[in-house]
Amino acid sequence: MVDSKRIVYWVWRLSAIAMLGVLGVMLLIDILFAKNFGGAQWLTPFCGMAGIVAFALRNRYRVGGFVAVLTLSLGTSLVIRYTGMDSMPGGAESGALLLLLVGVLRHVEPLRRAVALSVVALAVLMAEANMQNMRQSGLAFSFLLFVGWSTAAGIGSYLRFQQVRRVEAVHAVRRVERLEIARELHDLVAHHITGIVVQAQAARTVAETRPDAVAPALDAIAAAGSEALTSMRRMVTVLRTEDDATRSPGATLADLRLLTERFSAGGPKVAFEIGSGLDDRTLPPEVMTTVHRVLQEALTNVRKHAPRTAWVEASLRRGEGRVLLVVRNFGSGADPRLSKLGGGFGLVGMAERVRALGGSLHAGPTQEGAWEVVAEFPLP
C-alpha cells in the first residue's frame, strides 16, 4: 500500500533534484562560453554557482540567498559593462534567479515585500541582458529574460493565491467551529444554571419545615456551580450566532454507540469499545459532546475518502488524567488525505474543538497501513 503523502513528497524532492540538474548543465555551458570569451566572462560561472547554492538552500535562506544572487548578478553586469567586452548572460545565473523568484512570490511576507523583490529581480535581469551582450544582441536577451520573469512571476503568484485560499478556508472553518463550540458550551452552562435555580427554589421551600435538608441542597448547588464555571473557563472567546440548532446539554455514551451502529448499518462494520472506568458521569459534558463530534467526523471521512475500507476499529479509553479516542480504518486503498490535517477542513474544525478543551488531535497513516485519528482530552 502506497501512501499518497509519500508520493507527493518524493515528486517534490525529485523535481527539486531535476531543477538542480538543469542548473548544473547550464553552469557547464557557462564555463564553455567563459573559455571562449575569457576575461570578465569568467565571473558569470561563479555567479551561477552562487545561484545554485542559493537554490539548494532556499528553504533556509530564502530572502537572504535571493538578495545575495541579485547583488552578485548586478555586480557582474556592471564589471563586464565597465570592461567593455562582448559577453552573454549566464544561463545558471538567470535560471537560479527565476526559480528563486517563484519561491519568493509564494512564501515571502508581507506581499509588498515579495512584489518589491520581484521588481528588483526584473531590473537585474534587464541589466544582465543589456550590460552583458554578445554582438549587440541585448534586445533579444532582454525579451527572453522578460518572458522567463513573467512566467516565474505568474507561477509564484498563482501558488501564493492557492496558499492564501487554503489559509482563508482553514480560518473560516475554525471560526465556524468556534461559534459552534460557544453555542454548545453556552447550552451546557445554561443546563447547569437551570439545575442550580431548581435546587435553590427547592431548598427555600423546605427550609422552614425541614432545615436539615438545606445543607445537602446547598452542596448540590455548589457542585453544579463549580461545573458551570469549569465549562465557562473552557469556552473560547467568540461571539455566538443565533440559529435554530437543536439545544441539548451534551452527548452520552449511548449516543456514541448509536452513531457507530448507524454507520455499520450503511457502511463498513465498526467495532467500538468503551474502556473500563468510563460512564456518562466520568467525562464533562463539553468533552463528551466533542468526542461525539470527532467520532462522527472520523467515520464520515472513512465513507468519503476510503470507500473500500473493510472494517473500522474505534475505542474510547481512560488513562492517567486523560481520555483517548482512537478511530482506525483498515483494508482501504491509499487514502488521499495528507497527514497533519492537510487534506481536508473537517478535521481542522475538530482539531480546533479539541484544542479549545486543552487536548490534541492527530490524523495520519499507521505503520500497519491503516488510517488513524487520535483525539486526546485532559480529565478534570
Side-chain angles (χ1 to χ4, degrees), residues 309-330:
T309 293
W311 79 96
V312 180
E313 179 184 280
S315 63
L316 183 65
R317 300 180 181 277
R318 180 176 182 177
E320 294 184 2
R322 63 173 187 159
V323 63
L324 203 66
L325 173 68
V326 180
V327 182
R328 298 189 186 96
N329 58 284
F330 297 86

mmCIF file of all heavy atoms in Angstrom, residues 309-330:
data_model
loop_
_atom_site.group_PDB
_atom_site.id
_atom_site.type_symbol
_atom_site.label_atom_id
_atom_site.label_comp_id
_atom_site.label_asym_id
_atom_site.label_seq_id
_atom_site.Cartn_x
_atom_site.Cartn_y
_atom_site.Cartn_z
ATOM 1 N N THR A 309 -12.868 0.536 2.541
ATOM 2 C CA THR A 309 -12.474 0.103 3.880
ATOM 3 C C THR A 309 -13.186 -1.197 4.258
ATOM 4 O O THR A 309 -14.397 -1.336 4.061
ATOM 5 C CB THR A 309 -12.811 1.191 4.905
ATOM 6 O OG1 THR A 309 -11.985 2.325 4.661
ATOM 7 C CG2 THR A 309 -12.573 0.703 6.324
ATOM 8 N N ALA A 310 -12.433 -2.156 4.780
ATOM 9 C CA ALA A 310 -13.008 -3.437 5.185
ATOM 10 C C ALA A 310 -13.710 -3.327 6.534
ATOM 11 O O ALA A 310 -14.829 -3.830 6.704
ATOM 12 C CB ALA A 310 -11.913 -4.503 5.243
ATOM 13 N N TRP A 311 -13.070 -2.691 7.495
ATOM 14 C CA TRP A 311 -13.703 -2.513 8.801
ATOM 15 C C TRP A 311 -13.051 -1.323 9.507
ATOM 16 O O TRP A 311 -11.977 -0.861 9.142
ATOM 17 C CB TRP A 311 -13.600 -3.773 9.651
ATOM 18 C CG TRP A 311 -12.284 -3.996 10.330
ATOM 19 C CD1 TRP A 311 -11.937 -3.666 11.595
ATOM 20 C CD2 TRP A 311 -11.111 -4.607 9.755
ATOM 21 N NE1 TRP A 311 -10.646 -4.024 11.864
ATOM 22 C CE2 TRP A 311 -10.107 -4.610 10.749
ATOM 23 C CE3 TRP A 311 -10.818 -5.148 8.505
ATOM 24 C CZ2 TRP A 311 -8.848 -5.130 10.521
ATOM 25 C CZ3 TRP A 311 -9.562 -5.664 8.284
ATOM 26 C CH2 TRP A 311 -8.595 -5.659 9.279
ATOM 27 N N VAL A 312 -13.743 -0.860 10.550
ATOM 28 C CA VAL A 312 -13.288 0.286 11.328
ATOM 29 C C VAL A 312 -13.192 -0.133 12.785
ATOM 30 O O VAL A 312 -14.087 -0.809 13.306
ATOM 31 C CB VAL A 312 -14.243 1.492 11.191
ATOM 32 C CG1 VAL A 312 -13.746 2.679 12.019
ATOM 33 C CG2 VAL A 312 -14.392 1.890 9.729
ATOM 34 N N GLU A 313 -12.116 0.283 13.405
ATOM 35 C CA GLU A 313 -11.902 -0.017 14.826
ATOM 36 C C GLU A 313 -11.897 1.294 15.595
ATOM 37 O O GLU A 313 -11.123 2.198 15.291
ATOM 38 C CB GLU A 313 -10.566 -0.738 14.991
ATOM 39 C CG GLU A 313 -10.211 -1.072 16.420
ATOM 40 C CD GLU A 313 -8.823 -1.704 16.497
ATOM 41 O OE1 GLU A 313 -8.716 -2.906 16.228
ATOM 42 O OE2 GLU A 313 -7.866 -0.964 16.805
ATOM 43 N N ALA A 314 -12.769 1.416 16.584
ATOM 44 C CA ALA A 314 -12.864 2.631 17.393
ATOM 45 C C ALA A 314 -12.837 2.255 18.868
ATOM 46 O O ALA A 314 -13.367 1.210 19.266
ATOM 47 C CB ALA A 314 -14.138 3.414 17.070
ATOM 48 N N SER A 315 -12.193 3.102 19.660
ATOM 49 C CA SER A 315 -12.121 2.830 21.096
ATOM 50 C C SER A 315 -12.077 4.134 21.864
ATOM 51 O O SER A 315 -11.531 5.141 21.387
ATOM 52 C CB SER A 315 -10.887 1.986 21.429
ATOM 53 O OG SER A 315 -9.694 2.692 21.118
ATOM 54 N N LEU A 316 -12.653 4.120 23.035
ATOM 55 C CA LEU A 316 -12.627 5.252 23.962
ATOM 56 C C LEU A 316 -12.109 4.709 25.285
ATOM 57 O O LEU A 316 -12.766 3.891 25.940
ATOM 58 C CB LEU A 316 -14.026 5.849 24.123
ATOM 59 C CG LEU A 316 -14.135 7.091 25.010
ATOM 60 C CD1 LEU A 316 -13.382 8.258 24.385
ATOM 61 C CD2 LEU A 316 -15.597 7.473 25.227
ATOM 62 N N ARG A 317 -10.917 5.156 25.684
ATOM 63 C CA ARG A 317 -10.275 4.616 26.878
ATOM 64 C C ARG A 317 -9.839 5.739 27.807
ATOM 65 O O ARG A 317 -9.584 6.861 27.360
ATOM 66 C CB ARG A 317 -9.060 3.758 26.499
ATOM 67 C CG ARG A 317 -9.394 2.567 25.622
ATOM 68 C CD ARG A 317 -8.159 1.760 25.276
ATOM 69 N NE ARG A 317 -8.464 0.624 24.426
ATOM 70 C CZ ARG A 317 -8.908 -0.543 24.865
ATOM 71 N NH1 ARG A 317 -9.077 -0.731 26.170
ATOM 72 N NH2 ARG A 317 -9.167 -1.527 24.024
ATOM 73 N N ARG A 318 -9.715 5.365 29.052
ATOM 74 C CA ARG A 318 -9.280 6.318 30.067
ATOM 75 C C ARG A 318 -7.864 5.980 30.510
ATOM 76 O O ARG A 318 -7.540 4.820 30.755
ATOM 77 C CB ARG A 318 -10.222 6.291 31.270
ATOM 78 C CG ARG A 318 -9.841 7.253 32.370
ATOM 79 C CD ARG A 318 -10.870 7.251 33.474
ATOM 80 N NE ARG A 318 -10.525 8.214 34.508
ATOM 81 C CZ ARG A 318 -11.301 8.466 35.576
ATOM 82 N NH1 ARG A 318 -12.452 7.825 35.722
ATOM 83 N NH2 ARG A 318 -10.937 9.358 36.468
ATOM 84 N N GLY A 319 -7.004 7.017 30.555
ATOM 85 C CA GLY A 319 -5.650 6.851 31.051
ATOM 86 C C GLY A 319 -5.422 7.715 32.273
ATOM 87 O O GLY A 319 -6.376 8.160 32.919
ATOM 88 N N GLU A 320 -4.180 7.975 32.572
ATOM 89 C CA GLU A 320 -3.850 8.808 33.724
ATOM 90 C C GLU A 320 -4.114 10.276 33.394
ATOM 91 O O GLU A 320 -3.358 10.910 32.664
ATOM 92 C CB GLU A 320 -2.378 8.609 34.111
ATOM 93 C CG GLU A 320 -2.063 7.212 34.612
ATOM 94 C CD GLU A 320 -0.623 7.095 35.061
ATOM 95 O OE1 GLU A 320 0.085 8.122 35.012
ATOM 96 O OE2 GLU A 320 -0.215 5.997 35.468
ATOM 97 N N GLY A 321 -5.195 10.783 33.941
ATOM 98 C CA GLY A 321 -5.528 12.189 33.746
ATOM 99 C C GLY A 321 -5.972 12.548 32.348
ATOM 100 O O GLY A 321 -5.963 13.724 31.966
ATOM 101 N N ARG A 322 -6.364 11.574 31.541
ATOM 102 C CA ARG A 322 -6.775 11.858 30.179
ATOM 103 C C ARG A 322 -7.719 10.777 29.690
ATOM 104 O O ARG A 322 -7.814 9.682 30.266
ATOM 105 C CB ARG A 322 -5.561 11.919 29.256
ATOM 106 C CG ARG A 322 -4.804 10.603 29.171
ATOM 107 C CD ARG A 322 -3.717 10.629 28.137
ATOM 108 N NE ARG A 322 -3.127 9.305 27.977
ATOM 109 C CZ ARG A 322 -2.453 8.907 26.914
ATOM 110 N NH1 ARG A 322 -2.270 9.744 25.919
ATOM 111 N NH2 ARG A 322 -1.943 7.686 26.850
ATOM 112 N N VAL A 323 -8.399 11.087 28.592
ATOM 113 C CA VAL A 323 -9.233 10.113 27.908
ATOM 114 C C VAL A 323 -8.851 10.163 26.432
ATOM 115 O O VAL A 323 -8.580 11.229 25.874
ATOM 116 C CB VAL A 323 -10.738 10.395 28.101
ATOM 117 C CG1 VAL A 323 -11.132 11.741 27.488
ATOM 118 C CG2 VAL A 323 -11.582 9.284 27.507
ATOM 119 N N LEU A 324 -8.793 8.981 25.789
ATOM 120 C CA LEU A 324 -8.264 8.867 24.446
ATOM 121 C C LEU A 324 -9.309 8.225 23.538
ATOM 122 O O LEU A 324 -9.832 7.151 23.836
ATOM 123 C CB LEU A 324 -6.993 8.002 24.450
ATOM 124 C CG LEU A 324 -6.014 8.186 23.303
ATOM 125 C CD1 LEU A 324 -5.398 9.586 23.358
ATOM 126 C CD2 LEU A 324 -4.915 7.131 23.390
ATOM 127 N N LEU A 325 -9.605 8.927 22.413
ATOM 128 C CA LEU A 325 -10.473 8.376 21.373
ATOM 129 C C LEU A 325 -9.604 8.020 20.173
ATOM 130 O O LEU A 325 -8.883 8.873 19.649
ATOM 131 C CB LEU A 325 -11.543 9.396 20.964
ATOM 132 C CG LEU A 325 -12.407 8.995 19.759
ATOM 133 C CD1 LEU A 325 -13.306 7.820 20.108
ATOM 134 C CD2 LEU A 325 -13.245 10.174 19.267
ATOM 135 N N VAL A 326 -9.671 6.772 19.733
ATOM 136 C CA VAL A 326 -8.886 6.297 18.594
ATOM 137 C C VAL A 326 -9.837 5.689 17.578
ATOM 138 O O VAL A 326 -10.669 4.834 17.921
ATOM 139 C CB VAL A 326 -7.834 5.250 19.025
ATOM 140 C CG1 VAL A 326 -7.044 4.774 17.818
ATOM 141 C CG2 VAL A 326 -6.905 5.835 20.082
ATOM 142 N N VAL A 327 -9.700 6.103 16.306
ATOM 143 C CA VAL A 327 -10.502 5.558 15.214
ATOM 144 C C VAL A 327 -9.549 5.153 14.102
ATOM 145 O O VAL A 327 -8.785 5.980 13.597
ATOM 146 C CB VAL A 327 -11.527 6.588 14.682
ATOM 147 C CG1 VAL A 327 -12.378 5.966 13.585
ATOM 148 C CG2 VAL A 327 -12.409 7.097 15.809
ATOM 149 N N ARG A 328 -9.586 3.865 13.720
ATOM 150 C CA ARG A 328 -8.725 3.352 12.648
ATOM 151 C C ARG A 328 -9.583 2.655 11.608
ATOM 152 O O ARG A 328 -10.517 1.938 11.954
ATOM 153 C CB ARG A 328 -7.694 2.355 13.176
ATOM 154 C CG ARG A 328 -6.712 2.899 14.182
ATOM 155 C CD ARG A 328 -5.620 1.866 14.459
ATOM 156 N NE ARG A 328 -4.721 2.303 15.526
ATOM 157 C CZ ARG A 328 -4.841 1.952 16.790
ATOM 158 N NH1 ARG A 328 -5.820 1.147 17.156
ATOM 159 N NH2 ARG A 328 -3.979 2.387 17.696
ATOM 160 N N ASN A 329 -9.241 2.866 10.330
ATOM 161 C CA ASN A 329 -9.901 2.106 9.270
ATOM 162 C C ASN A 329 -8.874 1.260 8.536
ATOM 163 O O ASN A 329 -7.772 1.700 8.238
ATOM 164 C CB ASN A 329 -10.640 3.028 8.297
ATOM 165 C CG ASN A 329 -9.739 4.055 7.655
ATOM 166 O OD1 ASN A 329 -9.375 5.026 8.284
ATOM 167 N ND2 ASN A 329 -9.387 3.842 6.390
ATOM 168 N N PHE A 330 -9.239 0.006 8.234
ATOM 169 C CA PHE A 330 -8.328 -0.982 7.666
ATOM 170 C C PHE A 330 -8.855 -1.451 6.315
ATOM 171 O O PHE A 330 -10.043 -1.371 6.029
ATOM 172 C CB PHE A 330 -8.205 -2.212 8.581
ATOM 173 C CG PHE A 330 -7.623 -1.912 9.928
ATOM 174 C CD1 PHE A 330 -8.425 -1.478 10.973
ATOM 175 C CD2 PHE A 330 -6.268 -2.067 10.161
ATOM 176 C CE1 PHE A 330 -7.896 -1.212 12.219
ATOM 177 C CE2 PHE A 330 -5.727 -1.802 11.405
ATOM 178 C CZ PHE A 330 -6.537 -1.368 12.432
#
